[in-house]
Amino acid sequence: MNAFINMFNKNKFWTKKHSPELLIAGGIVMAAGAVVSACIATKKLDNILKPATKQIAEIHDNLNDKFKIDNNQVDVKEEKRELAKVYAKTGAKLCLAYAPSVLMFAASVSCILGSHNIMIKRNTALAAAATVAEQAFKEYRERVVDKFGEETERDLYYGVEE
């Protein structure tokens, strides 16, 4: 059991350490998957658009036929409602076809931006640590000057040996 916990902790640390690289790689893979998914969805367009195009053409023919409209064979409001239904259903089918692609691309962008955010936080922490270390070194040099004098401090700083 201890070996399993140790292995888990090592993997957890490694994953946390390399999380920006892993997120970038995942983002690139998901972007490629989004492109492939979009290509597959595009192949399905004919099955979605052909029936809709046929229905839309029939409705437009009915709306453009003055004889049928004048003889009350076609209700204009009903035809416009049917046209809206066809557009809505077709739009919904197109959204469903391309939804996986859109979601994968959004996840890809999120991974890449998340990686960038992690790196910004790490760089900020490094800059803060460097500032603290620089300030501590300046204070140390001032204490050396106070105790041994400026000339001795300069010799120690530059490594001058007699």
Side-chain angles (χ1 to χ4, degrees):
M1 187 69 175
N2 251 354
F4 177 74
I5 292 172
N6 286 341
M7 183 181 69
F8 178 77
N9 286 335
K10 284 181 185 178
N11 286 335
K12 182 179 169 184
F13 176 73
W14 183 88
T15 303
K16 195 175 243 185
K17 179 181 174 185
H18 295 286
S19 61
E21 294 92 344
L22 294 171
L23 284 171
I24 288 285
I28 291 170
V29 168
M30 278 194 274
V35 169
V36 170
S37 178
C39 291
I40 291 170
T42 303
K43 283 184 173 182
K44 297 176 184 176
L45 278 182
D46 279 345
N47 297 337
I48 296 171
L49 293 179
K50 275 187 181 178
T53 307
K54 185 178 178 183
Q55 286 178 327
I56 290 169
E58 288 174 7
I59 293 170
H60 280 295
D61 287 343
N62 287 340
L63 288 173
N64 291 332
D65 190 350
K66 295 287 185 189
F67 180 75
K68 287 182 178 179
I69 293 173
D70 290 340
N71 292 332
N72 291 329
Q73 292 176 344
V74 173
D75 184 14
V76 175
K77 287 184 180 180
E78 184 63 34
E79 289 296 317
K80 287 185 178 180
R81 244 184 259 125
E82 283 298 317
L83 186 62
K85 285 181 186 177
V86 171
Y87 280 133
K89 286 180 183 179
T90 306
K93 288 178 184 177
L94 288 174
C95 286
L96 285 175
Y98 283 102
S101 303
V102 171
L103 291 175
M104 281 174 52
F105 187 74
S108 169
V109 170
S110 297
C111 284
I112 292 169
L113 292 177
S115 170
H116 180 68
N117 191 27
I118 290 170
M119 291 306 295
I120 285 175
K121 287 179 182 177
R122 287 183 183 179
N123 286 338
T124 303
L126 283 172
T131 303
V132 168
E134 183 181 353
Q135 183 63 32
F137 185 65
K138 281 182 183 178
E139 291 171 2
Y140 166 75
R141 286 188 64 191
E142 287 174 5
R143 287 192 305 269
V144 170
V145 167
D146 290 344
K147 187 163 187 171
F148 297 108
E150 195 171 323
E151 193 174 310
T152 306
E153 189 274 333
R154 191 176 337 111
D155 290 345
L156 290 172
Y157 183 72
Y158 290 112
V160 176
E161 293 185 25
E162 295 178 19

